[in-house]
Amino acid sequence: MTTATATATADGAAASATSTASARPPWLRRNAGQLALTAVALPLALLWLVPFGWALSTSLKPEGETQVLPVHWLPEDFTLAAYRSVLGEGDLFVWLLNSVIVSAGVTALCVAVSATAAYGFARTRFRFRRALFGLTLAGIMVPGTVLTAPLFATMRSLGLVDTYWGIILPQVVAPAMVFILYTFFRGIPRELEEAAVLDGAGRWRIFLTLVLPLSRPVLAAVSIFVFIVSWNNFMWPFLVTTDPDLATLPVGLATVQSSFGVRWAQLMAGALLAALPLLVVFVFFQRQIVRGVAHTGIAGS
């Protein structure tokens, strides 16, 4: 009798718990984890937006109001004078075109070189392969500023100073992108390539018609990463060009600032104009960025 009573009590408790769980809204049961992640990500997103909001507010203030104490977020007198100054005093559209040409060239060549090298390391066997791959990985640890002087001497000896090629070529080699693509290529099943070999395909045909189509997510992510880095690059285009008609957007905006001294409203307006294309790229290609990071395996490393 006692056993039967205990069993009935346990069954009643289980039924009560089941009914309580079923009483919860279905969307709450399904999206509990997503809601928790949103609760964590939302404050971080707001924290990231604080500098952006401050830059936007400062760019809309009169210059005399940018250094007023105590600091206030909203401008007392809204004005677009800083934007008019940046747009009127410089060749913004020329700089924008130069940045597009340089970034597109760097992206196309860097992805081609990195993908070819990564596939060679991942799938082919040749002498000194491990030594060369180790040397490539060692390049990740070398700061780019260390190579500035020898790269400039090389470009000058080749007659590429003040040319698009002089800006593009030194940015083509990216050991980090080789490693990312190498990690992805190693995850492609070898059986697919072996089947293609049985059909008479050669190494280049396998690479171009099989491996690259399977690698679209990671190639898209790598392309976006390289494009962003090239677009933001200030030091190398500044050093290798003296012709103002070849200035990229970061270099051009810096020259506008230097001609007027430090004007904070104008500085923030220029920074926002330079960042606007990258924000557009991220908004339209954020899915490819996330998928590419997930496919490379570096998200959990």
Side-chain angles (χ1 to χ4, degrees):
M1 185 69 179
T2 304
T3 304
T5 303
T7 302
T9 303
D11 292 342
S16 176
T18 304
S19 62
T20 302
S22 61
R24 296 175 182 174
W27 64 269
L28 184 60
R29 294 199 303 270
R30 290 194 306 267
N31 300 329
Q34 184 176 357
L35 290 174
L37 291 176
T38 303
V40 174
L42 186 59
L44 295 177
L46 293 176
L47 184 63
W48 179 86
L49 287 174
V50 168
F52 178 79
W54 176 253
L56 180 61
S57 173
T58 303
S59 68
L60 296 174
K61 294 178 181 179
E63 189 60 43
E65 194 179 334
T66 58
Q67 303 182 45
V68 172
L69 294 177
V71 176
H72 52 275
W73 275 84
L74 296 178
E76 294 181 358
D77 298 319
F78 285 90
T79 178
L80 297 176
Y83 291 94
R84 286 195 295 267
S85 179
V86 172
L87 294 174
E89 299 297 334
D91 297 326
L92 184 67
F93 295 103
V94 174
W95 303 336
L96 182 62
L97 178 61
N98 291 336
S99 290
V100 171
I101 293 174
V102 170
S103 299
V106 170
T107 301
L109 292 177
C110 183
V111 171
V113 171
S114 300
T116 306
Y119 184 73
F121 286 130
R123 284 294 190 260
T124 60
R125 297 292 180 266
F126 54 90
R127 293 184 63 184
F128 309 115
R129 181 179 66 89
R130 292 187 177 181
L132 288 175
F133 185 63
L135 186 63
T136 301
L137 294 183
I140 300 176
M141 298 179 288
V142 178
T145 53
V146 175
L147 304 175
T148 300
L151 282 175
F152 182 81
T154 302
M155 293 299 105
R156 184 174 59 182
S157 63
L158 294 175
L160 296 180
V161 175
D162 279 334
T163 64
Y164 284 124
W165 287 114
I167 306 175
I168 292 173
L169 289 179
Q171 303 183 65
V172 167
V173 179
M177 300 301 108
V178 175
F179 177 71
I180 291 174
L181 291 170
Y182 168 82
T183 304
F184 182 85
F185 290 156
R186 282 180 59 87
I188 297 177
R190 288 182 178 270
E191 291 78 7
L192 297 176
E193 299 178 46
E194 293 171 356
V197 171
L198 293 177
D199 290 338
R203 179 66 67 183
W204 277 105
R205 184 179 176 185
I206 292 173
F207 175 65
L208 295 174
T209 62
L210 177 64
V211 175
L212 291 184
L214 291 175
S215 308
R216 287 176 183 173
V218 67
L219 290 175
V222 167
S223 300
I224 295 171
F225 295 155
V226 174
F227 183 87
I228 291 175
V229 172
S230 177
W231 185 275
N232 288 327
N233 193 351
F234 167 79
M235 183 59 69
W236 179 250
F238 177 75
L239 292 175
V240 80
T241 58
T242 57
D243 187 355
D245 292 333
L246 292 175
T248 57
L249 191 59
V251 176
L253 292 175
T255 58
V256 171
Q257 284 299 318
S258 62
S259 63
F260 287 97
V262 180
R263 294 189 175 184
W264 295 108
Q266 190 172 330
L267 178 63
M268 295 302 175
L272 290 175
L273 289 175
L276 184 60
L278 296 183
L279 292 176
V280 173
V281 169
F282 182 79
V283 168
F284 283 99
F285 295 100
Q286 57 180 324
R287 186 184 301 273
Q288 284 78 5
I289 295 175
V290 174
R291 288 179 61 191
V293 172
H295 278 76
T296 59
I298 61 176
S301 59

